[in-house]
Amino acid sequence: MSVENLIKMANQIGQYFSTESDHALAVHGVQQHLQNFWTPAMRRDLKAWHADHPGTELHALVQAALTETAQA
């Protein structure tokens, strides 16, 4: 799957969880979704892209989910 598609899907997940008023719960929701529904290769590719492009294109909740302790 292309990284562009992974970014688009990850941002949709981030947007969905952005309605959660508790930031920690929102980040955890993104992490859980990535863990439960994405393949290890998809998660690995998104993390690798994010490591090379920090702070760009990804929803803030997705960025947090990729960098905080309980990573997806």
Side-chain angles (χ1 to χ4, degrees):
M1 180 171 293
S2 74
V3 72
E4 291 82 12
N5 283 338
L6 295 176
I7 292 167
K8 179 181 176 182
M9 291 188 310
N11 285 337
Q12 290 171 335
I13 295 163
Q15 185 62 40
Y16 174 81
F17 284 101
S18 70
T19 60
E20 172 59 59
S21 60
D22 183 320
H23 178 76
L25 285 177
V27 171
H28 181 71
V30 173
Q31 290 170 333
Q32 282 301 119
H33 185 92
L34 294 176
Q35 184 65 41
N36 292 340
F37 300 107
W38 283 37
T39 67
M42 292 166 68
R43 292 191 307 269
R44 183 181 58 245
D45 290 349
L46 184 64
K47 287 178 187 179
W49 181 87
H50 177 63
D52 292 337
H53 304 89
T56 59
E57 294 188 55
L58 285 176
H59 191 283
L61 290 174
V62 177
Q63 292 182 45
L66 294 175
T67 58
E68 291 185 10
T69 307
Q71 293 185 3

